[in-house]
């Protein structure tokens, strides 16, 4: 028996939201589909959405004070999450057409994934959650 934790994969990414309907619409536009819809569970309305094996959880607090704090920075917040795409230029064009705000202008490149080439863009989702779209070739 090994003492190492055996991670099987990413279960989901939790993204607290102040406006559940706005968040659902945004992520549906990216191709996500609702897989769980639970109202009033553990002090939240919960939506889980999936696209390409990526699952995001969108809890919206039933407490208005807590809900209004969604998207504010605090200790331990994740900076962003990244989604893999096949065609970054097409993705960028679609996001621009939808009026999605870009966190960083233009397309960035990195050598972090050598020998593959990596191009990426960063946008803001609801509650200013940063979402990176990555093309690896």
């Amino acid at each position: 028996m090994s003492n190492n934790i055996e991670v099987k994969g990413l279960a989901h990414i939790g993204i607290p939201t102040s406006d559940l309907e706005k968040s659902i619409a945004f992520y549906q536009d990216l191709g996500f589909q609702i897989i769980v819809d639970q109202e009033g569970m553990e002090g939240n309305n919960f939506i889980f959405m999936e696209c390409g094996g990526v699952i995001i959880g969108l809890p919206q607090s039933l407490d208005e004070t807590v809900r209004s704090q969604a998207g504010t920075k605090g200790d331990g917040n994740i900076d962003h999450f990244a989604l893999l795409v096949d065609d970054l230029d097409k993705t960028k064009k679609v996001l621009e057409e939808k009026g999605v705000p870009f966190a960083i202008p233009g397309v960035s490149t990195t050598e972090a994934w050598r020998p593959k080439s990596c191009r990426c863009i960063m946008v803001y989702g609801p509650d200013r959650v940063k979402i990176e779209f990555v093309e690896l070739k």
Side-chain angles (χ1 to χ4, degrees):
M1 182 171 174
S2 170
N3 287 336
N4 293 330
I5 295 172
E6 296 182 24
V7 175
K8 301 292 183 188
L10 181 64
H12 70 271
I13 302 164
I15 307 168
T17 180
S18 63
D19 185 334
L20 196 55
E21 296 307 315
K22 181 178 177 182
S23 293
I24 289 169
F26 178 84
Y27 291 107
Q28 282 177 329
D29 276 351
L30 297 180
F32 283 82
Q33 299 296 317
I34 295 173
I35 57 172
V36 173
D37 184 344
Q38 287 284 344
E39 290 187 21
M41 185 177 74
E42 301 170 0
N44 291 281
N45 292 323
F46 273 103
I47 296 290
F48 283 88
M49 303 180 80
E50 185 272 337
C51 180
V54 175
I55 298 174
I56 57 173
L58 301 171
Q60 181 186 44
S61 178
L62 299 175
D63 180 316
E64 289 186 35
T65 302
V66 173
R67 184 170 52 240
S68 70
Q69 295 171 355
T72 61
K73 291 288 186 182
D75 290 343
N77 282 352
I78 293 173
D79 179 67
H80 72 281
F81 70 94
L83 300 172
L84 194 59
V85 297
D86 287 328
D87 187 339
L88 189 68
D89 295 323
K90 178 182 174 187
T91 301
K92 183 176 182 289
K93 182 179 179 186
V94 169
L95 293 168
E96 288 171 339
E97 289 171 356
K98 292 179 180 292
V100 175
F102 280 71
I104 299 170
V107 175
S108 301
T109 60
T110 179
E111 295 186 21
W113 299 101
R114 279 183 294 159
K116 294 182 178 182
S117 69
C118 177
R119 300 171 60 227
C120 51
I121 55 176
M122 184 86 69
V123 301
Y124 286 115
D127 297 306
R128 295 192 52 84
V129 171
K130 288 192 289 185
I131 305 166
E132 182 178 18
F133 292 87
V134 177
E135 176 190 86
L136 292 173
K137 295 205 179 200

